[in-house]
Amino acid sequence: MKKHKQWIFAVLTLALAAAPFTGLLYKTNGAVYANQNNNASVMMESTLSEKEALPAFGTVPLRVGSSGQDVYELQGRLKHLGYYDGAIDSQFGTKTMNAVTWFQWKFGIEADGIVGAKTKLKLYNATKAWKPTEASTSTAQKTGTSENTGTSNSAELTSGDAMGLSENDLKIMANAVYGESRGEPFEGQVAVAAVILNRVKSPNFPKTPSGVIFQPGAFTAVADGQIYLEPNEQARKAVQQALNGWDPSGGCIYYFNPKTATSKWIWSRPQVKTIGQHIFCM
Protein backbone atom coordinates (compact mmCIF):
# COMPACT_ATOMS: atom_id res chain seq x y z
CA MET A 1 0.00 0.00 0.00
CA LYS A 2 2.89 2.27 0.85
CA LYS A 3 4.50 1.62 -2.54
CA HIS A 4 1.17 2.23 -4.24
CA LYS A 5 0.91 5.63 -2.61
CA GLN A 6 4.48 6.42 -3.63
CA TRP A 7 3.66 5.61 -7.27
CA ILE A 8 0.58 7.82 -7.19
CA PHE A 9 2.61 10.64 -5.66
CA ALA A 10 5.30 10.20 -8.32
CA VAL A 11 2.75 10.32 -11.18
CA LEU A 12 1.13 13.43 -9.76
CA THR A 13 4.52 15.08 -9.36
CA LEU A 14 5.43 14.32 -12.99
CA ALA A 15 2.04 15.57 -14.19
CA LEU A 16 2.43 18.81 -12.27
CA ALA A 17 5.98 19.22 -13.54
CA ALA A 18 4.92 18.65 -17.19
CA ALA A 19 1.90 20.97 -17.03
CA PRO A 20 3.82 24.20 -17.80
CA PHE A 21 5.45 22.63 -20.86
CA THR A 22 2.12 21.36 -22.08
CA GLY A 23 0.67 24.82 -21.70
CA LEU A 24 3.63 26.37 -23.51
CA LEU A 25 3.26 23.91 -26.36
CA TYR A 26 -0.42 24.55 -26.58
CA LYS A 27 0.11 28.28 -26.44
CA THR A 28 2.85 28.04 -29.04
CA ASN A 29 0.63 26.05 -31.36
CA GLY A 30 -2.20 28.38 -30.61
CA ALA A 31 0.00 31.34 -31.52
CA VAL A 32 1.05 29.76 -34.77
CA TYR A 33 -2.47 29.04 -35.79
CA ALA A 34 -3.67 32.40 -34.56
CA ASN A 35 -0.95 34.09 -36.57
CA GLN A 36 -1.86 32.10 -39.63
CA ASN A 37 -5.50 32.99 -39.22
CA ASN A 38 -4.65 36.62 -38.56
CA ASN A 39 -2.42 36.77 -41.63
CA ALA A 40 -5.16 35.28 -43.76
CA SER A 41 -7.58 37.82 -42.37
CA VAL A 42 -5.16 40.69 -43.06
CA MET A 43 -4.49 39.40 -46.57
CA MET A 44 -8.20 39.17 -47.24
CA GLU A 45 -8.80 42.67 -45.91
CA SER A 46 -5.87 43.97 -47.96
CA THR A 47 -7.22 42.32 -51.10
CA LEU A 48 -10.64 43.81 -50.53
CA SER A 49 -9.14 47.24 -49.90
CA GLU A 50 -7.15 47.01 -53.12
CA LYS A 51 -10.24 46.02 -55.04
CA GLU A 52 -12.19 48.87 -53.56
CA ALA A 53 -9.45 51.36 -54.45
CA LEU A 54 -8.62 49.85 -57.83
CA PRO A 55 -9.17 52.42 -60.60
CA ALA A 56 -11.47 51.69 -63.50
CA PHE A 57 -8.59 52.54 -65.85
CA GLY A 58 -6.63 49.87 -67.66
CA THR A 59 -3.07 48.96 -66.73
CA VAL A 60 -1.30 50.63 -69.68
CA PRO A 61 0.24 54.06 -68.86
CA LEU A 62 -1.40 56.96 -70.71
CA ARG A 63 0.63 59.71 -72.39
CA VAL A 64 0.56 62.07 -75.35
CA GLY A 65 -0.55 60.02 -78.35
CA SER A 66 -2.73 57.62 -76.36
CA SER A 67 -6.38 57.32 -77.33
CA GLY A 68 -9.50 55.35 -76.52
CA GLN A 69 -11.78 54.69 -73.58
CA ASP A 70 -9.12 55.20 -70.89
CA VAL A 71 -8.33 58.68 -72.24
CA TYR A 72 -12.06 59.45 -72.36
CA GLU A 73 -12.30 58.55 -68.67
CA LEU A 74 -9.11 60.46 -67.86
CA GLN A 75 -10.44 63.62 -69.50
CA GLY A 76 -13.82 63.22 -67.83
CA ARG A 77 -12.34 62.83 -64.36
CA LEU A 78 -9.94 65.74 -64.84
CA LYS A 79 -12.81 67.89 -66.09
CA HIS A 80 -14.90 66.85 -63.07
CA LEU A 81 -12.15 68.31 -60.85
CA GLY A 82 -11.73 71.44 -62.96
CA TYR A 83 -8.26 70.68 -64.29
CA TYR A 84 -9.36 70.12 -67.89
CA ASP A 85 -11.60 72.36 -69.98
CA GLY A 86 -11.22 70.78 -73.42
CA ALA A 87 -13.43 68.40 -75.37
CA ILE A 88 -13.90 64.84 -74.15
CA ASP A 89 -12.56 63.42 -77.40
CA SER A 90 -10.61 60.36 -76.18
CA GLN A 91 -7.38 61.78 -77.65
CA PHE A 92 -4.42 62.49 -75.34
CA GLY A 93 -3.04 65.74 -76.74
CA THR A 94 -1.15 68.70 -75.29
CA LYS A 95 -4.21 70.09 -73.49
CA THR A 96 -4.80 66.79 -71.71
CA MET A 97 -1.11 66.54 -70.81
CA ASN A 98 -1.20 70.03 -69.29
CA ALA A 99 -4.23 69.06 -67.21
CA VAL A 100 -2.50 65.88 -66.04
CA THR A 101 0.64 67.80 -65.10
CA TRP A 102 -1.41 70.32 -63.12
CA PHE A 103 -3.26 67.54 -61.29
CA GLN A 104 0.01 65.71 -60.51
CA TRP A 105 1.59 68.88 -59.14
CA LYS A 106 -1.42 69.63 -56.94
CA PHE A 107 -1.48 66.08 -55.55
CA GLY A 108 2.25 65.81 -54.89
CA ILE A 109 3.05 63.41 -57.73
CA GLU A 110 5.96 63.79 -60.11
CA ALA A 111 4.54 66.15 -62.75
CA ASP A 112 5.72 64.28 -65.85
CA GLY A 113 2.40 64.32 -67.74
CA ILE A 114 2.33 60.50 -67.87
CA VAL A 115 -0.64 58.76 -66.28
CA GLY A 116 0.81 55.75 -64.53
CA ALA A 117 -0.57 53.61 -61.71
CA LYS A 118 0.04 56.21 -58.98
CA THR A 119 -1.66 59.02 -60.90
CA LYS A 120 -4.58 56.77 -61.84
CA LEU A 121 -5.15 55.78 -58.23
CA LYS A 122 -5.00 59.38 -56.98
CA LEU A 123 -7.36 60.53 -59.72
CA TYR A 124 -9.77 57.66 -59.13
CA ASN A 125 -9.92 58.28 -55.39
CA ALA A 126 -10.42 62.01 -55.96
CA THR A 127 -13.29 61.50 -58.41
CA LYS A 128 -15.38 58.64 -57.06
CA ALA A 129 -18.48 60.72 -57.69
CA TRP A 130 -17.66 61.10 -61.40
CA LYS A 131 -20.02 59.47 -63.88
CA PRO A 132 -19.41 59.22 -67.66
CA THR A 133 -22.32 61.47 -68.56
CA GLU A 134 -20.63 63.57 -71.28
CA ALA A 135 -20.70 62.01 -74.73
CA SER A 136 -17.35 61.57 -76.43
CA THR A 137 -16.80 63.71 -79.51
CA SER A 138 -14.40 61.18 -80.98
CA THR A 139 -15.63 59.68 -84.23
CA ALA A 140 -13.81 56.52 -83.27
CA GLN A 141 -15.98 56.24 -80.16
CA LYS A 142 -19.13 56.57 -82.27
CA THR A 143 -18.13 54.06 -84.88
CA GLY A 144 -16.48 51.56 -82.59
CA THR A 145 -12.91 50.34 -82.30
CA SER A 146 -10.95 48.46 -84.92
CA GLU A 147 -11.40 45.25 -82.90
CA ASN A 148 -15.16 45.54 -83.26
CA THR A 149 -15.66 47.01 -86.70
CA GLY A 150 -12.30 47.13 -88.39
CA THR A 151 -13.11 50.63 -89.67
CA SER A 152 -11.71 52.95 -87.03
CA ASN A 153 -8.54 53.85 -88.91
CA SER A 154 -10.32 55.96 -91.52
CA ALA A 155 -12.94 57.08 -89.01
CA GLU A 156 -10.30 58.47 -86.63
CA LEU A 157 -8.87 60.59 -89.44
CA THR A 158 -12.14 62.15 -90.58
CA SER A 159 -11.80 64.84 -87.88
CA GLY A 160 -9.50 66.51 -90.41
CA ASP A 161 -12.67 67.75 -92.12
CA ALA A 162 -12.34 70.83 -89.90
CA MET A 163 -9.46 71.88 -92.15
CA GLY A 164 -11.35 70.94 -95.28
CA LEU A 165 -9.10 67.94 -95.90
CA SER A 166 -10.27 64.98 -97.94
CA GLU A 167 -10.08 61.38 -96.81
CA ASN A 168 -7.41 60.75 -99.45
CA ASP A 169 -5.34 63.64 -98.08
CA LEU A 170 -5.45 62.15 -94.60
CA LYS A 171 -4.56 58.69 -95.86
CA ILE A 172 -1.60 59.96 -97.85
CA MET A 173 -0.44 61.88 -94.77
CA ALA A 174 -0.36 58.61 -92.82
CA ASN A 175 1.58 57.05 -95.69
CA ALA A 176 4.07 59.91 -95.65
CA VAL A 177 4.53 59.74 -91.88
CA TYR A 178 5.11 56.00 -92.08
CA GLY A 179 7.46 56.24 -95.06
CA GLU A 180 9.44 59.14 -93.64
CA SER A 181 9.60 58.41 -89.92
CA ARG A 182 8.42 54.94 -88.92
CA GLY A 183 11.67 54.38 -86.99
CA GLU A 184 11.31 57.63 -85.07
CA PRO A 185 9.75 58.18 -81.62
CA PHE A 186 6.03 58.93 -81.68
CA GLU A 187 6.67 62.62 -80.99
CA GLY A 188 8.87 62.74 -84.07
CA GLN A 189 6.17 61.13 -86.19
CA VAL A 190 3.63 63.70 -85.01
CA ALA A 191 6.16 66.41 -85.83
CA VAL A 192 6.47 65.13 -89.42
CA ALA A 193 2.67 65.22 -89.78
CA ALA A 194 2.66 68.72 -88.28
CA VAL A 195 5.26 69.90 -90.81
CA ILE A 196 2.96 68.75 -93.61
CA LEU A 197 0.07 70.70 -92.12
CA ASN A 198 2.29 73.73 -91.51
CA ARG A 199 3.19 73.73 -95.19
CA VAL A 200 -0.47 73.52 -96.16
CA LYS A 201 -1.09 76.64 -94.08
CA SER A 202 1.92 78.46 -95.52
CA PRO A 203 1.46 80.64 -98.64
CA ASN A 204 4.74 79.24 -100.00
CA PHE A 205 3.49 75.68 -100.45
CA PRO A 206 0.59 73.82 -102.08
CA LYS A 207 -2.74 74.10 -100.30
CA THR A 208 -3.39 70.41 -99.71
CA PRO A 209 -1.43 67.62 -98.00
CA SER A 210 -1.33 65.69 -101.26
CA GLY A 211 0.08 68.72 -103.05
CA VAL A 212 2.69 69.24 -100.33
CA ILE A 213 3.73 65.59 -100.19
CA PHE A 214 4.03 65.12 -103.96
CA GLN A 215 5.76 68.43 -104.59
CA PRO A 216 8.91 67.47 -106.56
CA GLY A 217 11.89 66.80 -104.28
CA ALA A 218 9.96 67.53 -101.11
CA PHE A 219 9.94 64.10 -99.44
CA THR A 220 12.39 61.22 -99.66
CA ALA A 221 9.59 58.68 -99.22
CA VAL A 222 8.06 59.83 -102.51
CA ALA A 223 11.39 59.61 -104.32
CA ASP A 224 12.18 56.07 -103.15
CA GLY A 225 8.62 54.73 -103.29
CA GLN A 226 8.15 54.19 -99.55
CA ILE A 227 5.17 56.53 -99.70
CA TYR A 228 3.16 53.55 -100.96
CA LEU A 229 3.90 51.31 -97.97
CA GLU A 230 0.85 50.51 -95.86
CA PRO A 231 0.99 52.73 -92.75
CA ASN A 232 0.59 51.23 -89.31
CA GLU A 233 -1.72 52.36 -86.53
CA GLN A 234 0.96 54.53 -84.93
CA ALA A 235 1.39 56.56 -88.13
CA ARG A 236 -2.37 57.11 -88.28
CA LYS A 237 -2.43 58.21 -84.66
CA ALA A 238 0.44 60.60 -85.35
CA VAL A 239 -1.61 62.24 -88.10
CA GLN A 240 -4.60 62.41 -85.76
CA GLN A 241 -2.55 64.12 -83.06
CA ALA A 242 -1.28 66.69 -85.54
CA LEU A 243 -4.85 67.32 -86.69
CA ASN A 244 -5.83 67.79 -83.05
CA GLY A 245 -3.32 70.61 -82.77
CA TRP A 246 -0.20 68.98 -81.33
CA ASP A 247 2.88 70.36 -83.10
CA PRO A 248 6.10 69.07 -81.50
CA SER A 249 8.09 70.82 -84.25
CA GLY A 250 7.11 74.24 -82.96
CA GLY A 251 5.70 75.45 -86.26
CA CYS A 252 8.52 74.20 -88.50
CA ILE A 253 8.13 73.68 -92.24
CA TYR A 254 11.30 71.67 -92.85
CA TYR A 255 13.12 68.75 -91.28
CA PHE A 256 16.08 66.61 -92.26
CA ASN A 257 18.28 63.78 -91.07
CA PRO A 258 21.81 65.19 -90.61
CA LYS A 259 23.31 61.74 -91.23
CA THR A 260 21.81 61.39 -94.68
CA ALA A 261 21.11 64.96 -95.85
CA THR A 262 22.95 65.87 -99.07
CA SER A 263 21.55 69.38 -99.52
CA LYS A 264 23.80 72.19 -98.29
CA TRP A 265 20.85 74.57 -98.42
CA ILE A 266 18.91 72.74 -95.71
CA TRP A 267 21.74 73.41 -93.25
CA SER A 268 21.19 77.14 -93.71
CA ARG A 269 17.67 76.99 -92.33
CA PRO A 270 17.10 78.20 -88.71
CA GLN A 271 17.04 75.05 -86.58
CA VAL A 272 14.38 74.82 -83.88
CA LYS A 273 14.79 71.42 -82.29
CA THR A 274 15.95 67.83 -82.75
CA ILE A 275 13.53 64.95 -82.26
CA GLY A 276 14.97 61.50 -82.75
CA GLN A 277 17.10 61.50 -85.88
CA HIS A 278 15.47 64.58 -87.41
CA ILE A 279 16.34 68.26 -87.07
CA PHE A 280 13.28 70.49 -87.49
CA CYS A 281 13.80 73.95 -88.90
CA MET A 282 12.06 77.02 -90.31
Side-chain angles (χ1 to χ4, degrees):
M1 177 64 70
K2 187 176 180 180
K3 288 183 178 181
H4 182 69
K5 288 181 178 179
Q6 288 176 341
W7 276 108
I8 292 174
F9 179 76
V11 169
L12 289 173
T13 302
L14 287 172
L16 289 172
F21 296 99
T22 304
L24 178 62
L25 182 62
Y26 175 79
K27 288 177 182 177
T28 301
N29 286 341
V32 169
Y33 287 117
N35 286 339
Q36 288 178 342
N37 289 337
N38 287 340
N39 287 340
S41 176
V42 170
M43 286 174 64
M44 183 175 290
E45 289 176 6
S46 175
T47 302
L48 288 174
S49 297
E50 287 177 4
K51 285 183 178 179
E52 288 172 359
L54 195 63
F57 296 106
T59 57
V60 178
L62 304 174
R63 63 189 75 207
V64 171
S66 298
S67 60
Q69 183 60 34
D70 276 4
V71 179
Y72 169 81
E73 181 171 341
L74 170 67
Q75 292 171 330
R77 290 180 183 276
L78 288 171
K79 196 164 191 174
H80 178 75
L81 293 175
Y83 291 98
Y84 179 71
D85 63 355
I88 309 296
D89 59 5
S90 306
Q91 303 293 329
F92 198 132
T94 304
K95 205 163 191 176
T96 303
M97 183 189 71
N98 291 339
V100 169
T101 304
W102 187 16
F103 171 82
Q104 290 172 325
W105 178 72
K106 280 288 192 179
F107 279 75
I109 309 170
E110 182 184 358
D112 56 5
I114 299 173
V115 186
K118 192 171 183 178
T119 301
K120 289 177 181 178
L121 186 59
K122 285 277 188 183
L123 182 56
Y124 172 79
N125 287 333
T127 56
K128 289 186 176 180
W130 174 79
K131 299 294 181 184
T133 54
E134 183 170 349
S136 170
T137 59
S138 169
T139 309
Q141 287 285 330
K142 296 174 185 177
T143 58
T145 64
S146 57
E147 291 180 352
N148 295 330
T149 65
T151 61
S152 68
N153 291 337
S154 59
E156 286 179 357
L157 296 176
T158 56
S159 63
D161 289 346
M163 286 185 61
L165 304 182
S166 70
E167 185 177 348
N168 286 335
D169 280 331
L170 301 178
K171 285 181 178 178
I172 202 63
M173 278 185 67
N175 280 51
V177 169
Y178 184 72
E180 290 277 317
S181 59
R182 61 182 176 275
E184 295 296 303
F186 184 71
E187 181 184 5
Q189 294 183 31
V190 177
V192 168
V195 164
I196 295 172
L197 294 178
N198 290 340
R199 289 192 181 189
V200 170
K201 298 171 187 176
S202 169
N204 299 321
F205 293 91
K207 297 303 180 186
T208 66
S210 295
V212 165
I213 292 166
F214 288 104
Q215 189 174 25
F219 290 91
T220 304
V222 174
D224 61 18
Q226 293 190 64
I227 189 70
Y228 298 109
L229 295 175
E230 181 65 25
N232 59 11
E233 183 65 18
Q234 190 171 30
R236 295 186 178 95
K237 286 181 178 179
V239 173
Q240 184 65 55
Q241 290 303 315
L243 290 169
N244 288 345
W246 185 26
D247 184 358
S249 78
C252 287
I253 53 176
Y254 299 103
Y255 66 88
F256 66 99
N257 186 331
K259 295 179 180 179
T260 60
T262 58
S263 169
K264 293 182 180 180
W265 173 84
I266 194 66
W267 285 96
S268 69
R269 307 305 301 175
Q271 297 179 11
V272 176
K273 64 167 62 176
T274 298
I275 305 175
Q277 298 296 317
H278 286 146
I279 296 176
F280 291 83
C281 48
M282 303 300 288

